[in-house]
Amino acid sequence: MGNEASSPEHDDYPDEFAKFDGIETLGYRVLGVQPNSPASAAGLVSFLDFLVGCNGEMLLGSGEGLDEGDAYDDIDFPALLKESVGKELELLVHNIKSNSQRLVKIAPSSTWGGAGLLGVTIRLDNYGGADERLIRVLSVEHNSPAAIAGLVPMKDYLLGTTSTSFDSDEILAEVLMVHADRIVELYVYSAESDVVRVVTLMPTLSWGGRGLLGAEVGTGYLHRFPKSCRKTDGASVERRIRMGVRPTETVSALEKSNK
């Protein structure tokens, strides 16, 4: 499980691979889909979809049958994409909301008009139990940053940014601190509309209440997606990515320094 797709298809943090050792349910999580891209044409859904296989093979080896010290039998996904420009690939996609898998056709392209061969940001992640690591908005304070951003209590789930997935409330807190008094775009799933949208938020302590967000959130088993929305894979609003260094990359550095 040592390969990730090349930038800008993903964010390259090889030091983070160690935390995935021994995990069988690994894939490349779709963090953001650009409009009019090959990923958009394939119907990939931001944060809810994981790329787990390609052309009949799993992208990340399970390690079954390997001796200690042997390398994992991963597919070199970046190389495969480069070799397959203009050719159709069949991807196996796992969706964490419907807990189902589907096959999609996608053709890497260098001429579609945006960043990357697929037009999607991906990152190595564990899809096992991912729906129990969601952050659900429970309540929103009046005139708070959360209220101004249009977050809806009991309906909205905070999923992440273009470079970070919110696997815990600690990661959310770090992102909010990094962006204090600055604009940050968050991916938010609505159980009411069944769509992942992008909201603009400015965390601040000067709004007159408590906390940078002004909302109570919950995580864990009790805050999974409701059964009412489990029958679909969902959909997502697409956006173009901004190239260059992003403030949220500081969060990854903070995570490393705390280990």
Side-chain angles (χ1 to χ4, degrees), residues 2 8 14 41 44-45 55 59 87 91 123 134 141 154 157-158 170 187 196 199 217 234 242-243 256 258:
L44 297 182
V45 183
N55 292 346
L59 289 174
K87 303 175 184 177
L91 295 181
R123 190 156 185 197
L134 299 170
E141 296 292 331
M154 306 307 292
Y157 293 79
L158 308 182
E170 288 87 0
Y187 284 80
V196 177
V199 304
V217 299
R242 295 188 179 96
M243 302 302 291
K256 293 176 186 176
N258 290 332

Side-chain angles (χ1 to χ4, degrees), residues 24 39 42 57 59 73 89 97 102 107 109 118 121 123-124 131 153 179 185 214 227 239 251:
E24 303 292 333
E57 297 184 50
L59 289 174
D73 51 342
L89 299 174
K97 186 166 72 68
R102 68 188 190 276
S109 172
L118 299 183
T121 307
R123 190 156 185 197
L124 184 67
D131 64 337
H179 290 89
E185 291 182 335
K227 290 183 179 180
R239 67 178 295 281
V251 173

Side-chain angles (χ1 to χ4, degrees), residues 132-179:
E132 295 183 15
R133 300 192 297 273
L134 299 170
I135 297 182
R136 188 182 191 184
V137 178
L138 302 181
S139 64
V140 174
E141 296 292 331
H142 182 63
N143 286 334
S144 66
I148 295 171
L151 297 182
V152 181
M154 306 307 292
K155 299 292 184 181
D156 281 347
Y157 293 79
L158 308 182
L159 302 177
T161 70
T162 52
S163 61
T164 304
S165 57
F166 295 155
D167 289 335
S168 68
D169 51 4
E170 288 87 0
I171 295 177
L172 170 63
E174 288 177 350
V175 168
L176 295 177
M177 285 189 291
V178 167
H179 290 89

